[in-house]
Amino acid sequence: MMVVAAGNAGSLCSTVTDPPSFYAASYTAGALNTGTDTIASFSSRGPVTADGSGRIKPDITAPGTNTRSASNTSDTAYTIASGTSMATPHIAGAMALLWSAIPSLQNQIDASRTALDNAAHFISSTQCGAAGPPNNVFGWGRVDALAAVQQLALTEAVSRKTQGTAGTFDVPLPVTGEPGVECRSTGGKFTFVFTFSSNVVSGTAAVTTGRGRVQGSPTFSGNTMTVKLSGVTDVQKITVTLSGVTSDTSQVLPDTPVGANMLIGDTNGDKTVNNPDVTQTRGQVGMPVTASNCREDVNIDGAITSADVSLVRSDLGHSLQ
């Protein structure tokens, strides 16, 4: 995430002129008079004319006058300063808080910007164009970190299977970082269950990378959304993207992708089916299926037997990047 000061060339319009402040990829911060919802006189404004785009800038605003800041006069010195460079750290800090509170947004740049934009306190202005939101004076408005972290968020995802009479067991699908590995064989049919920070009532899902499709419409219960998949092939990474998921208080989740590595027989989840998977499965033969060894019940019949060992053996050598 690149957060950039709008510049201090205001108060005229089309004064966001210094790169990278006017780039579309930059999340550009304007300055408010601290403690108010009025724009600082020096804060640069859009629309952008430097590249002929006419794009709206700044994107968002934050306090930027009479701000206590570190000084370069010594390692322990502070000063009081004003400028969009004082507003910019507020936005970077708000983004860091957002990513800490809602890990599923980490490194999801568009979704993260949307989250801060939607949570901002909108301030109307027609000084440099349409009132918005957004507009060319305040962007989407004054940043509101608390409102941003209280928005609807995806907190957990799992691949869920009923394994014979042993019960129903989940394979975690982390919402950030490396996708989880689903190693159980189910004829291409899977059930993904998504859990949110609030109760949800509607939304859609689609397979956006990999081979497979969403079967029917998602179902909703409390704070969970259940998506059934079919036609999912082995030895691939699949991505299911959630769109328009809406809470019972009308909060809407930004489009959110969740990945899963589909690799039958990879019981230890290292993205390679090899002898350690065979050994691990053989070591559980005859043991009751529980949450701790459900991966070794590869054929999901509720018992770990030689058939599971044979299934793992048949997939030796399969791997994912």
Side-chain angles (χ1 to χ4, degrees):
M1 172 67 69
M2 184 167 67
V3 183
V4 180
N8 302 323
S11 60
L12 296 179
C13 302
S14 296
T15 47
V16 180
T17 57
D18 294 329
S21 64
F22 59 81
Y23 298 162
S26 298
Y27 197 44
T28 304
L32 300 171
N33 291 304
T34 299
T36 76
D37 283 336
T38 60
I39 199 70
S41 60
F42 56 77
S43 187
S44 293
R45 296 146 166 82
V48 172
T49 57
D51 62 358
S53 66
R55 75 175 57 89
I56 295 173
K57 288 288 181 177
D59 296 294
I60 199 165
T61 49
T65 60
N66 300 317
T67 304
R68 180 174 168 85
S69 176
S71 169
N72 64 359
T73 58
S74 79
D75 289 344
T76 59
Y78 289 86
T79 188
I80 300 297
S82 297
T84 53
S85 291
M86 297 296 102
T88 303
H90 285 84
I91 304 304
M95 190 62 71
L97 288 171
L98 180 67
W99 284 2
S100 178
I102 308 175
S104 60
L105 287 176
Q106 291 174 11
N107 303 315
Q108 303 297 322
I109 304 304
D110 290 343
S112 298
R113 287 177 59 155
T114 297
L116 280 192
D117 291 344
N118 289 345
H121 174 73
F122 174 61
I123 308 169
S124 179
S125 175
T126 57
Q127 178 191 346
C128 296
N135 60 55
N136 284 300
V137 177
F138 299 95
W140 288 90
R142 168 175 43 81
V143 66
D144 188 334
L146 179 61
V149 301
Q150 289 178 335
Q151 292 183 102
L152 179 65
L154 175 66
T155 59
E156 183 183 64
V158 299
S159 176
R160 179 166 294 169
K161 287 294 175 189
T162 298
Q163 300 184 215
T165 60
T168 299
F169 302 100
D170 295 339
V171 167
L173 303 176
V175 296
T176 61
E178 178 63 31
V181 175
E182 173 55 277
C183 65
R184 297 170 293 182
S185 177
T186 58
K189 295 182 178 180
F190 294 88
T191 300
F192 287 2
V193 181
F194 304 95
T195 302
F196 302 88
S197 56
S198 302
N199 290 344
V200 288
V201 295
S202 64
T204 63
V207 175
T208 50
T209 64
R211 295 174 297 280
R213 60 187 176 273
V214 172
Q215 183 177 0
S217 298
T219 57
F220 299 87
S221 177
N223 66 339
T224 64
M225 172 182 180
T226 300
V227 176
K228 293 186 178 297
L229 305 175
S230 61
V232 178
T233 58
D234 191 21
V235 196
Q236 65 158 333
K237 176 184 175 182
I238 192 171
T239 302
V240 176
T241 298
L242 309 180
S243 300
V245 178
T246 303
S247 74
D248 57 3
T249 58
S250 300
Q251 291 184 325
V252 180
L253 183 79
D255 287 0
T256 302
V258 177
N261 290 308
M262 316 304 290
L263 190 58
I264 294 171
D266 181 21
T267 60
N268 65 10
D270 66 356
K271 298 197 294 183
T272 299
V273 185
N274 52 24
N275 285 328
D277 298 300
V278 175
T279 300
Q280 180 170 297
T281 305
R282 185 187 298 116
Q284 294 296 316
V285 168
M287 300 296 291
V289 177
T290 66
S292 63
N293 68 359
C294 63
R295 299 174 64 90
E296 284 77 70
D297 179 21
V298 183
N299 64 9
I300 66 165
D301 64 356
I304 304 174
T305 67
S306 60
D308 296 295
V309 178
S310 296
L311 186 52
V312 176
R313 284 187 180 279
S314 69
D315 285 332
L316 284 173
H318 290 178
S319 65
L320 292 169
Q321 293 294 323

